[in-house]
Amino acid sequence: MSMIWVIALVVGALIVAGLAFYAGKLLWQLKVQKDTIAKLKEEQAKKLEKSRQERNGKLADSINLIAKAMKQKQCEYSEGCLRVWVLISQYSFDSEVALEQTYPGVFEMYDEVKEMPTHDARKKYSKKEIFKMDTQRWRAEERLEAQILKDCDKLLEEFKALPGSENVVFQ
């Protein structure tokens, strides 16, 4: 009987050792998998950040060019503010920015003309209605000119042109 107990203990020990080995192998595979996932997440985060930086660079370049054009009166304030507002709304800032307070002139001009029709949509209105909208737009441009120019200075300071595009000349 004692021989049976010894054999049973040896068999039990072998089973426990086999299960322990298998558990250790699974834990090691889990560690390798976690490490791989962490590396992939890190690479993905780097790609996303690089993509964000590239996109922000292009947006900043466009914002800078439009702000320069408005400052040089090569672009009407209403058109420039519409374009700039859409671009800065898409810009991915590092921290939360209250755009309406930071660029009040641009925002107010945008808010004034955002519902006005453009291009082919204008053709649906009579000349009198178009003139009325244009008059409203011109008055808003006159009223907000000083604040828009201040905002253009802020935009030029905040959004730098990409290397090589700062020498673009508007004619």
Side-chain angles (χ1 to χ4, degrees):
M1 187 107 158
S2 83
M3 186 64 150
I4 291 176
W5 282 106
V6 172
I7 292 173
L9 277 172
V10 170
V11 170
L14 287 174
I15 290 172
V16 170
L19 289 174
F21 174 76
Y22 184 64
K25 182 179 173 186
L26 289 177
L27 286 172
W28 180 77
Q29 286 177 338
L30 182 62
K31 180 191 178 306
V32 168
Q33 187 179 30
K34 283 182 178 180
D35 290 347
T36 303
I37 289 171
K39 283 181 185 177
L40 289 174
K41 281 185 178 180
E42 186 178 323
E43 288 174 12
Q44 183 67 20
K46 286 180 183 178
K47 284 181 185 177
L48 284 173
E49 181 59 24
K50 182 180 178 191
S51 174
R52 183 180 87 83
Q53 293 295 334
E54 288 174 0
R55 184 169 188 264
N56 274 356
K58 290 176 183 175
L59 288 170
D61 191 47
S62 295
I63 293 166
N64 183 283
L65 289 173
I66 295 168
K68 245 187 234 179
M70 284 194 293
K71 248 185 105 71
Q72 296 173 0
K73 301 202 186 307
Q74 297 292 322
C75 173
E76 290 182 356
Y77 296 136
S78 54
E79 181 180 351
C81 290
L82 273 171
R83 292 175 186 270
V84 164
W85 193 258
V86 170
L87 293 172
I88 62 175
S89 298
Q90 295 175 6
Y91 190 87
S92 180
F93 292 93
D94 293 331
S95 61
E96 191 67 30
V97 177
L99 297 174
E100 293 87 355
Q101 285 81 37
T102 308
Y103 307 106
V106 171
F107 173 72
E108 199 171 335
M109 188 72 229
Y110 167 80
D111 199 45
E112 184 84 27
V113 298
K114 69 181 177 187
E115 300 298 328
M116 290 184 182
T118 59
H119 304 85
D120 289 337
R122 284 175 64 96
K123 295 177 184 174
K124 297 176 186 172
Y125 293 90
S126 70
K127 289 184 179 187
K128 185 177 181 180
E129 290 172 312
I130 291 172
F131 183 74
K132 184 179 175 186
M133 286 185 276
D134 285 346
T135 302
Q136 178 186 354
R137 181 174 53 85
W138 294 328
R139 286 188 179 138
E141 286 177 348
E142 284 178 24
R143 177 172 46 87
L144 298 170
E145 181 175 19
Q147 185 60 52
I148 290 171
L149 289 173
K150 285 180 189 174
D151 289 353
C152 284
D153 289 334
K154 285 191 237 174
L155 289 167
L156 290 170
E157 183 64 33
E158 174 75 25
F159 300 96
K160 301 294 182 191
L162 290 173
S165 64
E166 64 274 349
N167 298 323
V168 172
V169 177
F170 298 103
Q171 296 180 353

